[in-house]
Amino acid sequence: IITAASGRALTSTTSGSTTTYNVVPGSAIGVDIAAGADLAAIHVNKGASIVANSSGSTNPATIAIRDQSDTLVSITNNNVISATVASTDDNADGTNETIVNPGIAIDTRTNTHGLTLVQTDIAPADNATDNAIAPPHIYGAILLGSGDDSISATGGEIVGNVDFGGGALNSFTLAGKASYLGKMTGSGSVALNLSEGTAVLLNGSHLNVTTLQVGANSTLALTLDTAAPTVPVLVGSGAATFANGAKLLL
């Protein structure tokens, strides 16, 4: 279990008989792969977790996994990858400020080789034993690089904005009881395959989609932007297939 936590650092300066105290925002990064390092794969097993928590509306960075080495090509999650930020009242006006930098679960924006992210529920059956084991989840943004990236989940939930970066052969797949909630963007293109599960694309989503497949037991929900009604959520260049029984919610 890897947990990174940050609150506020207290610094002081003294001039003569006067000491001034300043509260400085802090960062929390769970796994940080520096430039020059070499780590090809991360596997978060059942019972393990990579978590970054911070308290402070203006904290500069709260990241569970960050790769700056361009060597990380695989992440497998069977439990928890999470980055959360708690807002604070920074100017003492009685109201918590808006969070400036929301939590980032996975940051591979410098990656040029592509990342394969797989989330697998190792206890998917509907019985008492499996139901007692919490499904896996990823909380926080997923920010990808210029390579061809793949995100797939066979269970649990992924909650957070996804930016696919500039890859031309990106893919996103849900199966089993997997669900996704967040905003999806990217300057490249993405193949969307909802063989089973639920995907809710929030306001601001915009994707160039090579193919779209929505299975009979799947739900695709799109949040339309009333402020920009002519901007499409999905721009397709290939086939879009909805199986009999598939649900499209607007």
Side-chain angles (χ1 to χ4, degrees):
I1 297 175
I2 298 174
T3 301
S6 175
R8 302 292 202 170
L10 188 65
T11 65
S12 64
T13 57
T14 301
S15 176
S17 60
T18 302
T19 300
T20 302
Y21 293 92
N22 297 298
V23 178
V24 180
S27 298
I29 302 176
V31 174
D32 197 5
I33 309 169
D38 189 348
L39 180 63
I42 293 175
H43 190 169
V44 182
N45 287 301
K46 201 66 188 176
S49 61
I50 299 177
V51 176
N53 298 320
S54 71
S55 177
S57 297
T58 59
N59 282 3
T62 304
I63 306 171
I65 299 172
R66 180 170 69 177
D67 175 36
Q68 300 181 92
S69 69
D70 199 11
T71 63
L72 182 65
V73 295
S74 174
I75 298 176
T76 301
N77 181 42
N78 300 136
N79 200 39
V80 176
I81 300 173
S82 175
T84 59
V85 181
S87 63
T88 52
D89 179 9
D90 294 341
N91 59 7
D93 64 353
T95 302
N96 285 3
E97 272 61 62
T98 301
I99 294 172
V100 175
N101 298 303
I104 299 173
I106 298 169
D107 184 354
T108 61
R109 282 175 285 184
T110 61
N111 184 299
T112 63
H113 302 291
L115 175 74
T116 298
L117 170 60
V118 177
Q119 177 164 284
T120 304
D121 187 352
I122 63 172
D126 283 326
N127 56 52
T129 300
D130 280 8
N131 288 340
I133 300 174
H137 64 259
I138 297 173
Y139 290 161
I142 299 173
L143 307 178
L144 304 173
S146 60
D148 296 327
D149 302 298
S150 172
I151 299 175
S152 63
T154 62
E157 59 184 3
I158 300 173
V159 178
N161 297 339
V162 174
D163 187 336
F164 282 95
L169 299 174
N170 298 309
S171 65
F172 182 86
T173 303
L174 294 183
K177 297 180 180 179
S179 64
Y180 169 75
L181 174 67
K183 179 175 71 174
M184 278 192 182
T185 56
S187 59
S189 56
V190 183
L192 286 180
N193 181 12
L194 311 182
S195 62
E196 197 173 7
T198 299
V200 180
L201 305 190
L202 297 181
N203 189 32
S205 294
H206 180 74
L207 283 181
N208 298 312
V209 179
T210 53
T211 57
L212 171 62
Q213 298 184 22
V214 184
N217 296 316
S218 299
T219 299
L220 174 62
L222 305 178
T223 306
L224 304 182
D225 188 353
T226 57
T230 62
V231 177
V233 177
L234 303 177
V235 178
S237 60
T241 305
F242 287 79
N244 185 27
K247 296 179 181 179
L248 175 62
L249 305 179
L250 301 175

